[in-house]
Amino acid sequence: LTARASGAITDIRKRLGDPVSRGETVAVVLSPDASALSASLTSAKSRLDLARTSFEREKTLFDSKITSRQDLERAQSELAQAEAEYRRSESSARAARVTSDGQSVAIASQINGRITSVTAAAKLGAYVSPETELFRISDPSKIQIEAAVPVLDAQRVRPGDQASIESNGQLLAAKVRSVTPSVDAASRAATVVLEVTEKSETLQPGQFARACQSGDAGANDKRGIEPGDLGLVAAVHQTDGVLARLGFGHGQTAGFAELLAVKEDHHLA
């Protein structure tokens, strides 16, 4: 979660570990950019009101056959331009989340989840620049994992194959979402995307979890992780919906690999 405009942080409403809802304000930044957007919106609203009044007056005069159609059409054109300018200004202010006082911008969560990281820049009174990272928010109940799998192993994997993720002694259901047909030139590996299908709060950013996938597993297979399965050990970590790659090994010989990111499920639509 980053700052949308430069300025000083005047309010921090959430702390590390707090739950947040989508659209909920986490912090507020006092910014000159907010003042500029607010002034632009106010000016556009004034021009719109004037154009609407002029059009209504011209329409009344035209209906009374006092003015020409040309005057009416000019007033109508000016009204349309004022409406378009107002919509543009309103959209810009809404996108920046300008507060009602017109002096600040609100930093709001884009997802439902929990604050898992607060950066050093997120301090009351601190000056921040646009795109400065302030918070990280994750929803561990909606994740997918992108894994780099050796070509020979990838041949055993098919979309829809069942998988298991072991975390803190709990076995979570997952499935293979897709397997890329191409091979990465640098890693010489194919990409397999695993989707967690069972809601759980045990998958938290930064912890380790072991994932295992078997190409012959049935839809209701709950046997867990066994030798010979295609497996991995990974560190779960969520950052801005960017997917990272994992290395797969075989069964009990699977090595450690770090999962640098997980992705929100609602971004997949």
Short mmCIF file of all heavy atoms in Angstrom, two decimals, residues 116-172:
data_model
loop_
_atom_site.label_atom_id
_atom_site.label_comp_id
_atom_site.label_asym_id
_atom_site.label_seq_id
_atom_site.Cartn_x
_atom_site.Cartn_y
_atom_site.Cartn_z
N THR A 116 0.29 -6.83 7.47
CA THR A 116 1.38 -7.74 7.80
C THR A 116 2.73 -7.06 7.88
O THR A 116 3.70 -7.65 8.34
CB THR A 116 1.46 -8.87 6.76
OG1 THR A 116 1.65 -8.30 5.46
CG2 THR A 116 0.17 -9.69 6.75
N SER A 117 2.80 -5.79 7.43
CA SER A 117 4.08 -5.08 7.47
C SER A 117 3.82 -3.58 7.49
O SER A 117 2.95 -3.08 6.76
CB SER A 117 4.95 -5.46 6.27
OG SER A 117 6.14 -4.71 6.26
N VAL A 118 4.57 -2.87 8.32
CA VAL A 118 4.53 -1.41 8.36
C VAL A 118 5.95 -0.92 8.15
O VAL A 118 6.86 -1.25 8.92
CB VAL A 118 3.99 -0.89 9.71
CG1 VAL A 118 3.98 0.63 9.72
CG2 VAL A 118 2.59 -1.44 9.97
N THR A 119 6.19 -0.15 7.11
CA THR A 119 7.54 0.29 6.79
C THR A 119 7.97 1.43 7.70
O THR A 119 7.16 2.06 8.39
CB THR A 119 7.65 0.74 5.33
OG1 THR A 119 6.90 1.96 5.15
CG2 THR A 119 7.09 -0.33 4.39
N ALA A 120 9.27 1.73 7.66
CA ALA A 120 9.82 2.81 8.48
C ALA A 120 9.28 4.17 8.07
O ALA A 120 9.28 5.12 8.87
CB ALA A 120 11.34 2.79 8.38
N ALA A 121 8.81 4.28 6.82
CA ALA A 121 8.29 5.57 6.33
C ALA A 121 6.92 5.90 6.91
O ALA A 121 6.50 7.06 6.88
CB ALA A 121 8.21 5.55 4.81
N ALA A 122 6.23 4.90 7.43
CA ALA A 122 4.86 5.10 7.93
C ALA A 122 4.90 5.60 9.38
O ALA A 122 4.60 4.86 10.32
CB ALA A 122 4.07 3.80 7.82
N LYS A 123 5.28 6.85 9.53
CA LYS A 123 5.33 7.48 10.85
C LYS A 123 4.56 8.79 10.83
O LYS A 123 4.58 9.51 9.83
CB LYS A 123 6.78 7.74 11.26
CG LYS A 123 7.61 6.48 11.49
CD LYS A 123 9.02 6.84 11.91
CE LYS A 123 9.85 5.58 12.16
NZ LYS A 123 11.25 5.91 12.55
N LEU A 124 3.90 9.09 11.92
CA LEU A 124 3.12 10.31 12.02
C LEU A 124 4.03 11.53 11.84
O LEU A 124 5.06 11.65 12.50
CB LEU A 124 2.43 10.38 13.39
CG LEU A 124 1.23 11.32 13.51
CD1 LEU A 124 0.13 10.90 12.57
CD2 LEU A 124 0.74 11.35 14.94
N GLY A 125 3.68 12.39 10.91
CA GLY A 125 4.46 13.58 10.64
C GLY A 125 5.52 13.41 9.58
O GLY A 125 6.10 14.40 9.11
N ALA A 126 5.78 12.17 9.17
CA ALA A 126 6.81 11.90 8.16
C ALA A 126 6.35 12.40 6.79
O ALA A 126 5.17 12.32 6.45
CB ALA A 126 7.12 10.42 8.10
N TYR A 127 7.32 12.92 6.02
CA TYR A 127 7.02 13.37 4.66
C TYR A 127 7.25 12.21 3.70
O TYR A 127 8.29 11.55 3.75
CB TYR A 127 7.92 14.54 4.26
CG TYR A 127 7.59 15.14 2.91
CD1 TYR A 127 6.64 16.16 2.80
CD2 TYR A 127 8.19 14.66 1.75
CE1 TYR A 127 6.32 16.71 1.56
CE2 TYR A 127 7.86 15.20 0.52
CZ TYR A 127 6.93 16.22 0.42
OH TYR A 127 6.61 16.74 -0.79
N VAL A 128 6.27 11.94 2.84
CA VAL A 128 6.37 10.82 1.90
C VAL A 128 6.20 11.32 0.48
O VAL A 128 5.55 12.35 0.23
CB VAL A 128 5.31 9.74 2.21
CG1 VAL A 128 5.58 9.10 3.56
CG2 VAL A 128 3.90 10.31 2.16
N SER A 129 6.79 10.59 -0.45
CA SER A 129 6.66 10.89 -1.87
C SER A 129 5.69 9.91 -2.50
O SER A 129 5.42 8.85 -1.93
CB SER A 129 8.03 10.78 -2.56
OG SER A 129 8.96 11.67 -1.98
N PRO A 130 5.16 10.23 -3.69
CA PRO A 130 4.25 9.30 -4.36
C PRO A 130 4.91 7.93 -4.56
O PRO A 130 6.10 7.85 -4.87
CB PRO A 130 3.96 9.99 -5.70
CG PRO A 130 4.15 11.44 -5.41
CD PRO A 130 5.27 11.50 -4.42
N GLU A 131 4.15 6.88 -4.40
CA GLU A 131 4.59 5.49 -4.56
C GLU A 131 5.50 5.01 -3.43
O GLU A 131 6.09 3.93 -3.53
CB GLU A 131 5.27 5.28 -5.92
CG GLU A 131 4.40 5.66 -7.11
CD GLU A 131 3.03 4.98 -7.07
OE1 GLU A 131 2.96 3.79 -6.71
OE2 GLU A 131 2.04 5.65 -7.39
N THR A 132 5.66 5.80 -2.37
CA THR A 132 6.41 5.32 -1.21
C THR A 132 5.61 4.21 -0.52
O THR A 132 4.45 4.42 -0.16
CB THR A 132 6.66 6.46 -0.21
OG1 THR A 132 7.43 7.48 -0.84
CG2 THR A 132 7.42 5.95 1.01
N GLU A 133 6.22 3.05 -0.33
CA GLU A 133 5.52 1.95 0.32
C GLU A 133 5.38 2.23 1.81
O GLU A 133 6.35 2.56 2.49
CB GLU A 133 6.27 0.64 0.11
CG GLU A 133 5.55 -0.56 0.73
CD GLU A 133 6.28 -1.88 0.49
OE1 GLU A 133 6.84 -2.05 -0.61
OE2 GLU A 133 6.30 -2.71 1.41
N LEU A 134 4.16 2.09 2.32
CA LEU A 134 3.89 2.36 3.72
C LEU A 134 3.43 1.11 4.47
O LEU A 134 3.87 0.86 5.59
CB LEU A 134 2.82 3.44 3.86
CG LEU A 134 3.17 4.80 3.21
CD1 LEU A 134 1.98 5.75 3.30
CD2 LEU A 134 4.40 5.41 3.87
N PHE A 135 2.55 0.34 3.86
CA PHE A 135 2.00 -0.86 4.50
C PHE A 135 1.95 -2.01 3.51
O PHE A 135 1.94 -1.79 2.29
CB PHE A 135 0.57 -0.60 5.01
CG PHE A 135 0.43 0.60 5.90
CD1 PHE A 135 0.11 1.84 5.38
CD2 PHE A 135 0.61 0.48 7.28
CE1 PHE A 135 -0.02 2.95 6.20
CE2 PHE A 135 0.49 1.59 8.10
CZ PHE A 135 0.18 2.82 7.56
N ARG A 136 1.91 -3.21 4.05
CA ARG A 136 1.63 -4.39 3.25
C ARG A 136 0.42 -5.10 3.88
O ARG A 136 0.40 -5.31 5.10
CB ARG A 136 2.83 -5.33 3.18
CG ARG A 136 3.97 -4.76 2.37
CD ARG A 136 5.04 -5.79 2.10
NE ARG A 136 6.13 -5.22 1.33
CZ ARG A 136 7.15 -5.90 0.85
NH1 ARG A 136 7.22 -7.21 1.08
NH2 ARG A 136 8.10 -5.31 0.16
N ILE A 137 -0.53 -5.43 3.03
CA ILE A 137 -1.75 -6.08 3.49
C ILE A 137 -1.93 -7.37 2.72
O ILE A 137 -1.77 -7.40 1.50
CB ILE A 137 -2.97 -5.15 3.27
CG1 ILE A 137 -2.78 -3.85 4.04
CG2 ILE A 137 -4.26 -5.84 3.68
CD1 ILE A 137 -3.83 -2.81 3.75
N SER A 138 -2.25 -8.43 3.43
CA SER A 138 -2.43 -9.72 2.76
C SER A 138 -3.72 -10.38 3.20
O SER A 138 -4.22 -10.14 4.30
CB SER A 138 -1.25 -10.65 3.06
OG SER A 138 -1.26 -11.03 4.42
N ASP A 139 -4.25 -11.20 2.31
CA ASP A 139 -5.41 -12.03 2.61
C ASP A 139 -5.00 -13.47 2.34
O ASP A 139 -5.06 -13.94 1.21
CB ASP A 139 -6.59 -11.63 1.71
CG ASP A 139 -7.85 -12.45 2.02
OD1 ASP A 139 -7.77 -13.33 2.89
OD2 ASP A 139 -8.88 -12.21 1.39
N PRO A 140 -4.55 -14.19 3.38
CA PRO A 140 -4.02 -15.53 3.18
C PRO A 140 -5.07 -16.54 2.74
O PRO A 140 -4.72 -17.66 2.36
CB PRO A 140 -3.45 -15.89 4.56
CG PRO A 140 -4.21 -15.05 5.52
CD PRO A 140 -4.49 -13.77 4.78
N SER A 141 -6.34 -16.17 2.78
CA SER A 141 -7.38 -17.11 2.37
C SER A 141 -7.55 -17.14 0.86
O SER A 141 -8.26 -18.01 0.34
CB SER A 141 -8.72 -16.72 3.02
OG SER A 141 -9.17 -15.47 2.54
N LYS A 142 -6.91 -16.22 0.15
CA LYS A 142 -7.06 -16.16 -1.31
C LYS A 142 -5.68 -15.98 -1.94
O LYS A 142 -5.24 -14.86 -2.17
CB LYS A 142 -7.97 -15.01 -1.72
CG LYS A 142 -9.39 -15.14 -1.21
CD LYS A 142 -10.23 -13.96 -1.64
CE LYS A 142 -11.66 -14.08 -1.13
NZ LYS A 142 -12.48 -12.92 -1.52
N ILE A 143 -5.00 -17.08 -2.19
CA ILE A 143 -3.67 -17.00 -2.76
C ILE A 143 -3.50 -18.02 -3.88
O ILE A 143 -4.23 -19.00 -3.98
CB ILE A 143 -2.57 -17.23 -1.71
CG1 ILE A 143 -2.69 -18.64 -1.12
CG2 ILE A 143 -2.63 -16.17 -0.63
CD1 ILE A 143 -1.55 -19.00 -0.19
N GLN A 144 -2.53 -17.77 -4.73
CA GLN A 144 -2.09 -18.75 -5.69
C GLN A 144 -0.57 -18.72 -5.72
O GLN A 144 0.04 -17.71 -5.39
CB GLN A 144 -2.68 -18.50 -7.07
CG GLN A 144 -2.09 -17.31 -7.80
CD GLN A 144 -2.61 -17.21 -9.21
OE1 GLN A 144 -3.70 -17.66 -9.52
NE2 GLN A 144 -1.82 -16.61 -10.09
N ILE A 145 0.03 -19.81 -6.10
CA ILE A 145 1.49 -19.93 -6.09
C ILE A 145 1.96 -20.25 -7.50
O ILE A 145 1.44 -21.16 -8.14
CB ILE A 145 1.94 -21.04 -5.12
CG1 ILE A 145 1.45 -20.72 -3.70
CG2 ILE A 145 3.45 -21.18 -5.14
CD1 ILE A 145 1.63 -21.87 -2.75
N GLU A 146 2.94 -19.52 -7.97
CA GLU A 146 3.53 -19.78 -9.28
C GLU A 146 4.87 -20.46 -9.05
O GLU A 146 5.75 -19.91 -8.38
CB GLU A 146 3.70 -18.48 -10.05
CG GLU A 146 4.26 -18.68 -11.46
CD GLU A 146 4.36 -17.37 -12.20
OE1 GLU A 146 3.39 -16.60 -12.18
OE2 GLU A 146 5.43 -17.11 -12.78
N ALA A 147 5.05 -21.63 -9.60
CA ALA A 147 6.26 -22.42 -9.33
C ALA A 147 7.01 -22.73 -10.62
O ALA A 147 6.41 -23.03 -11.64
CB ALA A 147 5.88 -23.73 -8.63
N ALA A 148 8.33 -22.63 -10.54
CA ALA A 148 9.19 -23.02 -11.66
C ALA A 148 9.54 -24.50 -11.49
O ALA A 148 10.18 -24.88 -10.51
CB ALA A 148 10.45 -22.15 -11.68
N VAL A 149 9.11 -25.33 -12.43
CA VAL A 149 9.25 -26.78 -12.31
C VAL A 149 10.14 -27.30 -13.44
O VAL A 149 9.95 -26.92 -14.60
CB VAL A 149 7.86 -27.45 -12.40
CG1 VAL A 149 7.98 -28.95 -12.20
CG2 VAL A 149 6.93 -26.85 -11.37
N PRO A 150 11.11 -28.17 -13.14
CA PRO A 150 11.92 -28.77 -14.20
C PRO A 150 11.03 -29.42 -15.26
O PRO A 150 9.95 -29.94 -14.95
CB PRO A 150 12.75 -29.82 -13.45
CG PRO A 150 12.86 -29.27 -12.06
CD PRO A 150 11.55 -28.59 -11.80
N VAL A 151 11.49 -29.39 -16.50
CA VAL A 151 10.67 -29.84 -17.62
C VAL A 151 10.18 -31.27 -17.43
O VAL A 151 9.00 -31.57 -17.68
CB VAL A 151 11.47 -29.71 -18.93
CG1 VAL A 151 10.65 -30.26 -20.10
CG2 VAL A 151 11.83 -28.26 -19.19
N LEU A 152 11.05 -32.18 -17.00
CA LEU A 152 10.65 -33.58 -16.82
C LEU A 152 9.55 -33.71 -15.76
O LEU A 152 8.62 -34.51 -15.91
CB LEU A 152 11.86 -34.44 -16.45
CG LEU A 152 12.93 -34.58 -17.54
CD1 LEU A 152 14.09 -35.43 -17.03
CD2 LEU A 152 12.33 -35.21 -18.80
N ASP A 153 9.65 -32.93 -14.70
CA ASP A 153 8.62 -32.97 -13.66
C ASP A 153 7.32 -32.35 -14.15
O ASP A 153 6.23 -32.82 -13.80
CB ASP A 153 9.10 -32.22 -12.42
CG ASP A 153 10.24 -32.94 -11.71
OD1 ASP A 153 10.36 -34.16 -11.90
OD2 ASP A 153 11.00 -32.28 -10.99
N ALA A 154 7.43 -31.30 -14.95
CA ALA A 154 6.23 -30.62 -15.44
C ALA A 154 5.39 -31.54 -16.31
O ALA A 154 4.17 -31.36 -16.41
CB ALA A 154 6.63 -29.37 -16.22
N GLN A 155 6.02 -32.53 -16.94
CA GLN A 155 5.28 -33.47 -17.78
C GLN A 155 4.32 -34.33 -16.96
O GLN A 155 3.38 -34.90 -17.51
CB GLN A 155 6.25 -34.36 -18.57
CG GLN A 155 7.09 -33.59 -19.58
CD GLN A 155 8.13 -34.45 -20.25
OE1 GLN A 155 8.25 -35.65 -19.96
NE2 GLN A 155 8.90 -33.86 -21.16
N ARG A 156 4.55 -34.42 -15.67
CA ARG A 156 3.67 -35.19 -14.79
C ARG A 156 2.49 -34.38 -14.29
O ARG A 156 1.58 -34.92 -13.65
CB ARG A 156 4.46 -35.69 -13.57
CG ARG A 156 5.65 -36.54 -13.88
CD ARG A 156 6.51 -36.73 -12.64
NE ARG A 156 5.72 -37.19 -11.49
CZ ARG A 156 6.17 -37.21 -10.24
NH1 ARG A 156 7.39 -36.78 -9.97
NH2 ARG A 156 5.40 -37.64 -9.26
N VAL A 157 2.50 -33.08 -14.55
CA VAL A 157 1.50 -32.18 -13.99
C VAL A 157 0.47 -31.78 -15.04
O VAL A 157 0.82 -31.46 -16.17
CB VAL A 157 2.18 -30.92 -13.42
CG1 VAL A 157 1.16 -30.01 -12.75
CG2 VAL A 157 3.27 -31.30 -12.43
N ARG A 158 -0.79 -31.79 -14.65
CA ARG A 158 -1.88 -31.40 -15.53
C ARG A 158 -2.81 -30.42 -14.80
O ARG A 158 -3.00 -30.54 -13.59
CB ARG A 158 -2.70 -32.61 -15.97
CG ARG A 158 -1.93 -33.62 -16.80
CD ARG A 158 -1.59 -33.08 -18.19
NE ARG A 158 -0.92 -34.09 -19.01
CZ ARG A 158 0.38 -34.30 -19.01
NH1 ARG A 158 1.16 -33.59 -18.21
NH2 ARG A 158 0.91 -35.22 -19.78
N PRO A 159 -3.40 -29.46 -15.52
CA PRO A 159 -4.40 -28.58 -14.89
C PRO A 159 -5.52 -29.40 -14.26
O PRO A 159 -6.02 -30.36 -14.86
CB PRO A 159 -4.91 -27.74 -16.06
CG PRO A 159 -3.77 -27.72 -17.04
CD PRO A 159 -3.15 -29.09 -16.93
N GLY A 160 -5.88 -29.04 -13.06
CA GLY A 160 -6.92 -29.77 -12.35
C GLY A 160 -6.38 -30.81 -11.40
O GLY A 160 -7.13 -31.34 -10.56
N ASP A 161 -5.09 -31.17 -11.51
CA ASP A 161 -4.50 -32.12 -10.57
C ASP A 161 -4.63 -31.60 -9.15
O ASP A 161 -4.50 -30.41 -8.89
CB ASP A 161 -3.00 -32.33 -10.89
CG ASP A 161 -2.80 -33.26 -12.07
OD1 ASP A 161 -3.78 -33.84 -12.56
OD2 ASP A 161 -1.64 -33.40 -12.51
N GLN A 162 -4.89 -32.53 -8.24
CA GLN A 162 -5.02 -32.15 -6.83
C GLN A 162 -3.64 -31.98 -6.20
O GLN A 162 -2.66 -32.62 -6.60
CB GLN A 162 -5.81 -33.21 -6.07
CG GLN A 162 -7.23 -33.40 -6.60
CD GLN A 162 -8.04 -32.11 -6.53
OE1 GLN A 162 -8.21 -31.54 -5.46
NE2 GLN A 162 -8.54 -31.66 -7.67
N ALA A 163 -3.57 -31.11 -5.21
CA ALA A 163 -2.32 -30.84 -4.52
C ALA A 163 -2.62 -30.64 -3.04
O ALA A 163 -3.77 -30.52 -2.63
CB ALA A 163 -1.64 -29.60 -5.09
N SER A 164 -1.57 -30.66 -2.24
CA SER A 164 -1.70 -30.44 -0.80
C SER A 164 -0.64 -29.43 -0.37
O SER A 164 0.46 -29.41 -0.90
CB SER A 164 -1.50 -31.74 -0.03
OG SER A 164 -2.49 -32.69 -0.37
N ILE A 165 -1.01 -28.60 0.59
CA ILE A 165 -0.07 -27.67 1.20
C ILE A 165 -0.08 -27.92 2.69
O ILE A 165 -1.13 -27.82 3.34
CB ILE A 165 -0.44 -26.21 0.89
CG1 ILE A 165 -0.33 -25.96 -0.61
CG2 ILE A 165 0.47 -25.25 1.65
CD1 ILE A 165 -0.71 -24.57 -1.03
N GLU A 166 1.08 -28.24 3.26
CA GLU A 166 1.19 -28.54 4.67
C GLU A 166 1.76 -27.33 5.40
O GLU A 166 2.85 -26.86 5.08
CB GLU A 166 2.09 -29.76 4.88
CG GLU A 166 2.09 -30.27 6.31
CD GLU A 166 2.93 -31.53 6.46
OE1 GLU A 166 3.96 -31.63 5.77
OE2 GLU A 166 2.55 -32.38 7.26
N SER A 167 1.01 -26.83 6.37
CA SER A 167 1.43 -25.65 7.11
C SER A 167 1.04 -25.82 8.58
O SER A 167 -0.13 -26.02 8.90
CB SER A 167 0.75 -24.40 6.53
OG SER A 167 1.01 -23.27 7.32
N ASN A 168 2.05 -25.74 9.44
CA ASN A 168 1.82 -25.87 10.89
C ASN A 168 1.04 -27.14 11.24
O ASN A 168 0.16 -27.13 12.10
CB ASN A 168 1.07 -24.64 11.42
CG ASN A 168 1.88 -23.37 11.32
OD1 ASN A 168 3.11 -23.42 11.35
ND2 ASN A 168 1.21 -22.24 11.18
N GLY A 169 1.36 -28.19 10.53
CA GLY A 169 0.72 -29.47 10.81
C GLY A 169 -0.66 -29.63 10.18
O GLY A 169 -1.28 -30.68 10.31
N GLN A 170 -1.13 -28.61 9.50
CA GLN A 170 -2.44 -28.65 8.86
C GLN A 170 -2.27 -28.88 7.36
O GLN A 170 -1.41 -28.27 6.73
CB GLN A 170 -3.21 -27.35 9.10
CG GLN A 170 -4.60 -27.35 8.47
CD GLN A 170 -5.32 -26.03 8.68
OE1 GLN A 170 -4.73 -25.06 9.16
NE2 GLN A 170 -6.59 -25.97 8.32
N LEU A 171 -3.08 -29.79 6.81
CA LEU A 171 -3.02 -30.10 5.39
C LEU A 171 -4.13 -29.35 4.67
O LEU A 171 -5.32 -29.53 4.98
CB LEU A 171 -3.18 -31.61 5.18
CG LEU A 171 -2.64 -32.17 3.86
CD1 LEU A 171 -1.14 -31.94 3.74
CD2 LEU A 171 -2.96 -33.65 3.76
N LEU A 172 -3.76 -28.49 3.73
CA LEU A 172 -4.72 -27.67 3.00
C LEU A 172 -4.86 -28.17 1.57
O LEU A 172 -3.88 -28.56 0.94
CB LEU A 172 -4.28 -26.21 2.98
CG LEU A 172 -4.03 -25.56 4.35
CD1 LEU A 172 -3.51 -24.14 4.16
CD2 LEU A 172 -5.30 -25.56 5.18
#
